[in-house]
Amino acid sequence: MKVYQVQLVQRQQTLQHDNQQSLLENLEQHNIPHEYQCRSGYCGACRARLLKGQVSYRQPPLAFLQADEVLLCCCQVESDLVLDL
């Protein structure tokens, strides 16, 4: 199983991520708060700015995303990431 490094620039912290859970769940497990409303049916609130790296989606996200944005609840990490968090 591939393990990726996810650097959180604003927090000056790096997490390991293996796609066994969402990035949002990984942040929650590390007590890192981030806005979300996905579980209430609103898509797009968990977006974060991607500074470096690559993600994919199993299904196209419902929310419109800019090229430098990711949805933490449903993206699949494809490389080490740098996020503006």
Side-chain angles (χ1 to χ4, degrees):
M1 173 184 331
K2 179 74 173 153
V3 177
Y4 300 99
Q5 302 298 311
V6 180
Q7 181 182 355
L8 311 176
V9 174
Q10 292 180 29
R11 296 186 70 88
Q12 299 179 343
Q13 188 173 353
T14 300
L15 306 177
Q16 293 187 339
H17 187 74
D18 62 8
N19 284 326
Q20 294 299 306
Q21 61 185 355
S22 71
L23 272 174
L24 181 60
E25 291 168 327
N26 195 341
L27 292 174
E28 289 175 331
Q29 285 185 350
H30 287 88
N31 296 313
I32 299 170
H34 188 73
E35 177 69 27
Y36 69 88
Q37 293 178 5
C38 346
R39 295 173 186 142
S40 300
Y42 174 74
C43 186
C46 70
R47 76 182 67 224
R49 195 162 148 244
L50 177 66
L51 302 176
K52 185 178 179 184
Q54 185 175 349
V55 301
S56 64
Y57 297 91
R58 290 185 180 150
Q59 297 179 343
L62 296 176
F64 176 77
L65 295 173
Q66 300 294 329
D68 66 345
E69 292 178 327
V70 297
L71 293 178
L72 299 175
C73 70
C74 61
C75 70
Q76 295 292 300
V77 177
E78 301 290 343
S79 69
D80 291 341
L81 302 181
V82 179
L83 298 174
D84 189 16
L85 295 176

